[in-house]
Amino acid sequence: MAILLPSQIYNLAAGVGKSFFENLKGGNNATITVNNTGANPVDLVVTRVNAPVITYVIPAANSLTLEVALLLVAALQATPAGAVTGTIQIATADF
């Protein structure tokens, strides 16, 4: 069964980060969709079980969808270039 978490609107000041998903019990398979509607890039920071932290840069007015195995944390970080706005939505596989 998949669980679709509510779409969340983000508005982060330059250099500010925020976690939007945390599973500290061993990770979930998940899909992450980030829509960057702002004028500056935003970093998507993904932490998985037994894997290095990966950061994806999503340019202004773009989106990214990822399928991730054993997701522990999904967070967004505004770059020093300026504030960012948009939406993030996460769907997890819960079996």
Side-chain angles (χ1 to χ4, degrees):
M1 171 193 292
I3 299 173
L4 181 62
L5 302 174
S7 181
Q8 298 180 65
I9 297 170
Y10 64 86
N11 187 1
L12 303 173
V16 174
K18 181 178 177 185
S19 175
F20 287 89
F21 177 84
E22 295 177 11
N23 176 328
L24 304 178
K25 293 166 89 177
N28 278 86
N29 295 334
T31 301
I32 307 166
T33 301
V34 177
N35 294 307
N36 182 5
T37 58
N40 296 302
V42 64
D43 294 339
L44 171 62
V45 181
V46 176
T47 305
R48 299 178 303 134
V49 174
N50 296 327
V53 174
I54 301 173
T55 301
Y56 297 90
V57 178
I58 304 165
N62 278 281
S63 64
L64 175 69
T65 299
L66 295 174
E67 183 178 345
V68 181
L70 300 176
L71 177 67
L72 291 173
V73 177
L76 293 174
Q77 173 79 38
T79 62
V84 294
T85 59
T87 61
I88 181 170
Q89 187 160 30
I90 300 171
T92 64
D94 188 17
F95 297 107

